[in-house]
Amino acid sequence: MRRAGITIASVFGAGVVAAVIGVVVVVVIAVHSLTGAAKSVTAAPACPEVATQSIGGIVVPAGPVAGFCQDRLVNAAYVIEAAQALGIGPHTQAVGVMTAIGESSLVNLDHGDAAGPDSRGLFQQRDNGAWGTYEQRMDPYTAATMFYTKLVKTPGWKTMTPTQMAHAVQINSDPDHYAKFWPEAKAVVEGLTGQTVPDAAPQS
């Protein structure tokens, strides 16, 4: 009888454990399903349905392109247009867009931060005499032109990585700050211009 009792208890205990494990597995699957659903929702943000815009011949759609909607893509188009006017090719166009993403997420900010309270615009250019007037820093095309003008005067800029190029101009506390924005910048430039953006710096 004792042996039989132990056997019944053991079987009962094993059944409870199996039931608990089954519940845990179901909960884990449900959580993963919900998380996956949330990711699929946030991965492609819905953009307002607006007509395309043309910036210097660059057609800017409603979006999203690399997660950005038209209000920010227009600013990227100004950065690209400024580069094109200087004869700068797709790779370095993307460097400018990458820098603007890293500094402002392609928003033309009318404020700075704790590190630079006087910083303004897409590139967060400081009010130190080197970056022109407030109006120039707040104009995306002019701000981008000033960024590229300084970049092409930097010795050895053509041999630098994208984040090194950005840092050479911006002098960020972290030289690698911009690297994580490179894939987005490439996608934006390719999406707006139809050109392929190489990872290695060519002669422009």
Side-chain angles (χ1 to χ4, degrees), residues 135-204:
E135 290 76 17
Q136 288 173 321
R137 289 180 288 141
M138 285 299 297
D139 179 72
Y141 180 90
T142 304
T145 299
M146 291 190 292
F147 170 84
Y148 287 120
T149 298
K150 183 174 179 181
L151 174 62
V152 299
K153 291 180 180 178
T154 302
W157 69 274
K158 293 181 180 179
T159 63
M160 296 178 181
T161 65
T163 192
Q164 289 172 338
M165 293 165 74
H167 175 67
V169 177
Q170 302 295 109
I171 317 298
N172 194 287
S173 58
D174 176 10
D176 296 320
H177 167 69
Y178 305 96
K180 57 183 171 287
F181 305 111
W182 178 245
E184 292 171 279
K186 283 184 59 177
V188 168
V189 173
E190 290 178 345
L192 294 183
T193 68
Q195 300 180 87
T196 300
V197 175
D199 284 313
Q203 296 301 305
S204 62

Side-chain angles (χ1 to χ4, degrees), residues 111-136:
H111 61 80
D113 55 20
D118 58 345
S119 300
R120 296 293 184 274
L122 289 181
F123 292 88
Q124 287 291 279
Q125 292 158 331
R126 306 277 314 256
D127 185 19
N128 56 12
W131 296 111
T133 65
Y134 166 81
E135 290 76 17
Q136 288 173 321

Side-chain angles (χ1 to χ4, degrees), residues 39-50 62-65 67-71:
K39 286 182 179 178
S40 66
V41 170
T42 58
C47 294
E49 293 185 8
V50 294
V65 175
F68 296 106
C69 295
Q70 189 184 76
D71 58 335

Side-chain angles (χ1 to χ4, degrees), residues 51-102:
T52 59
Q53 291 190 43
S54 182
I55 306 296
I58 300 169
V59 177
V60 184
V65 175
F68 296 106
C69 295
Q70 189 184 76
D71 58 335
R72 302 192 190 197
L73 294 173
V74 163
N75 289 328
Y78 280 119
V79 175
I80 296 169
E81 182 191 16
Q84 291 175 341
L86 294 170
I88 289 171
H91 175 273
T92 310
Q93 291 170 21
V95 170
V97 173
M98 174 194 70
T99 306
I101 294 173

